[in-house]
């Protein structure tokens, strides 16, 4: 018995995995010659249902030319070809699952930003996207007929109105559907947020499949660790300040402010002292360069800041009397 014949027998004996059986059954519907071969094997199996051993003991009798006509020999080539087809299909499924975004096909157009960089992007339908630092947007070439984008990081959207073609923003955890509106999406930390400036959006939470609508000056906060969902009013000025090249620190403890500072300026500020980490910091920094920002922080937080290497700074206690 060849390897391919044993594979057919294992299928009949229920020894294949669920995935292998599913693929094999798909092939049966696509290849009539394979189906005929399988039905011949099944007929033999049904006549000898006791065990695989019983089948093997009788196969020489059953496979004589009178019992099983010549097409079986020809169909061995078909089975051989199908095995390669199955392998190819399996590889395609694996590749699709690895490279695709959950329920969507892979995107072809991609724009990314690094630390300290913000970039404006105009989509094919003239919708405006402003990418914050360390962010990424992807969209397909058929965007004018299927307005779908994938976002990672933070981005501000000003969407061109098109009643016939909804605009869908996808993140790892959320789907945001709009017609024409302006809103902010932030997927950076555990608290994912959608903040609506104007218009109306529907936000779908993928894990629970629950959705809700947002009105202007409302935002949704979704915590990926606790699955808690919060809908609240928000300050448009504070939430969207970054797109106007402004860094706002609103009564944050220093250790929580570091990510925003480092991402905004594209540098690395470090704090070792636990007391400094817990200091509260408030300030608005409009288009300040790194040196101006450092001088401001020294005054606001009463700290010392030392440059230890290229783009790396250490924040320490101010030892002046």
């Amino acid at each position: 018995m060849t390897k391919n014949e044993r594979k057919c027998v294992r299928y009949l004996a229920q020894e294949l995995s669920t995935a292998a059986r599913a693929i094999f059954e798909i092939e049966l519907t696509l290849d009539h010659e394979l189906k005929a071969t399988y039905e011949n094997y099944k007929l033999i199996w049904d006549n000898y249902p006791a065990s695989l051993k019983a089948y093997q003991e009788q196969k020489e009798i059953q496979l004589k030319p009178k019992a099983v006509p010549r097409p079986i020999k020809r169909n061995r080539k078909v089975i051989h070809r199908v095995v390669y087809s199955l392998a190819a299909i399996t590889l395609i499924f694996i590749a699709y699952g690895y490279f695709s975004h959950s329920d969507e096909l892979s995107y072809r157009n991609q724009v990314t930003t690094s630390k300290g960089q913000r970039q404006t992007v105009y989509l094919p339908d003239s919708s405006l996207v402003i990418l914050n630092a360390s962010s990424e947007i992807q969209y397909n070439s058929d965007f004018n007929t299927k307005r779908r984008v994938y976002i990672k990081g933070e981005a501000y959207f000003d969407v061109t109105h098109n009643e016939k073609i909804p605009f869908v923003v996808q993140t790892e955890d959320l789907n945001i559907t709009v017609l024409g509106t302006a809103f902010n999406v932030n997927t950076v930390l555990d608290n994912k947020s959608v903040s609506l400036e104007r218009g109306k959006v529907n936000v779908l939470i993928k894990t629970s499949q629950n959705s809700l609508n947002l009105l202007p000056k409302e935002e949704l906060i979704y915590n990926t660790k606790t699955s808690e969902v919060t809908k609240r009013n928000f300050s448009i000025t504070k939430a969207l300040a970054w797109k106007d090249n402004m860094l706002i620190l609103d009564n944050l403890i220093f250790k929580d402010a570091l990510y925003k500072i480092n991402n905004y300026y594209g540098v690395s500020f470090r704090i070792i002292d636990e007391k400094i980490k817990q200091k509260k910091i408030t300030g608005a920094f409009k288009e300040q360069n790194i040196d101006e920002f450092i001088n401001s922080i020294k005054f606001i937080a009463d700290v010392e800041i030392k440059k230890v290497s290229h783009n790396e700074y250490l924040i320490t206690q101010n030892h002046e009397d």
Side-chain angles (χ1 to χ4, degrees), residues 166-282:
F167 189 103
V168 179
V169 177
Q170 295 187 305
T171 75
E172 184 177 355
D173 306 288
L174 306 170
N175 278 357
I176 304 106
T177 304
V178 305
L179 292 175
T181 185
F183 60 99
N184 194 78
V185 179
N186 191 340
T187 70
V188 174
L189 303 176
D190 292 332
N191 283 328
K192 316 300 181 183
S193 65
V194 179
S195 309
L196 183 63
E197 181 180 18
R198 69 173 188 272
K200 183 178 180 180
V201 301
N202 177 268
V203 183
L204 171 70
I205 300 166
K206 292 183 178 180
T207 54
S208 64
Q209 289 298 299
N210 291 328
S211 65
L212 54 83
N213 294 326
L214 293 180
L215 297 176
K217 297 184 180 180
E218 290 183 341
E219 71 177 354
L220 176 143
I221 306 294
Y222 172 62
N223 187 290
T224 53
K225 286 189 174 179
T226 64
S227 297
E228 181 180 358
V229 179
T230 303
K231 181 179 177 181
R232 67 186 185 187
N233 293 326
F234 74 104
S235 168
I236 293 177
T237 301
K238 291 178 182 178
L240 304 182
W242 66 266
K243 76 181 181 66
D244 297 318
N245 210 25
M246 180 184 296
L247 173 64
I248 293 183
L249 305 175
D250 185 16
N251 199 33
L252 295 175
I253 61 174
F254 225 140
K255 70 173 185 178
D256 291 343
L258 283 184
Y259 177 83
K260 293 185 69 173
I261 295 171
N262 292 341
N263 202 41
Y264 185 87
Y265 282 102
V267 299
S268 177
F269 285 94
R270 294 189 297 110
I271 302 174
I272 298 175
D273 191 298
E274 289 298 325
K275 284 187 177 180
I276 299 179
K277 286 182 180 180
Q278 298 303 318
K279 276 190 174 184
K280 292 289 185 70
I281 181 170
T282 297

Side-chain angles (χ1 to χ4, degrees), residues 131-199:
L131 282 180
N132 203 351
S134 303
S135 299
E136 174 185 313
I137 186 173
Q138 299 181 29
Y139 59 95
N140 275 332
S141 54
D142 60 351
F143 185 83
N144 281 321
T145 57
K146 295 178 181 178
R147 299 199 299 171
R148 291 177 177 268
V149 300
Y150 178 84
I151 178 69
K152 183 178 181 181
E154 184 171 20
Y156 172 82
F157 292 86
D158 194 341
V159 177
T160 300
H161 183 82
N162 187 331
E163 201 168 309
K164 296 180 180 179
I165 308 176
F167 189 103
V168 179
V169 177
Q170 295 187 305
T171 75
E172 184 177 355
D173 306 288
L174 306 170
N175 278 357
I176 304 106
T177 304
V178 305
L179 292 175
T181 185
F183 60 99
N184 194 78
V185 179
N186 191 340
T187 70
V188 174
L189 303 176
D190 292 332
N191 283 328
K192 316 300 181 183
S193 65
V194 179
S195 309
L196 183 63
E197 181 180 18
R198 69 173 188 272

Side-chain angles (χ1 to χ4, degrees), residues 37-67:
T37 303
Y38 165 74
E39 288 174 350
N40 284 331
Y41 278 111
K42 188 174 185 299
L43 177 62
I44 296 171
W45 184 261
D46 289 341
N47 289 330
Y48 297 90
S51 65
L52 178 60
K53 182 179 179 181
Y55 165 73
Q56 290 175 328
E57 289 173 351
Q58 298 294 330
K59 76 180 184 68
E60 291 185 2
I61 299 175
Q62 295 299 321
L63 291 177
K64 285 182 180 180
K66 290 183 179 180

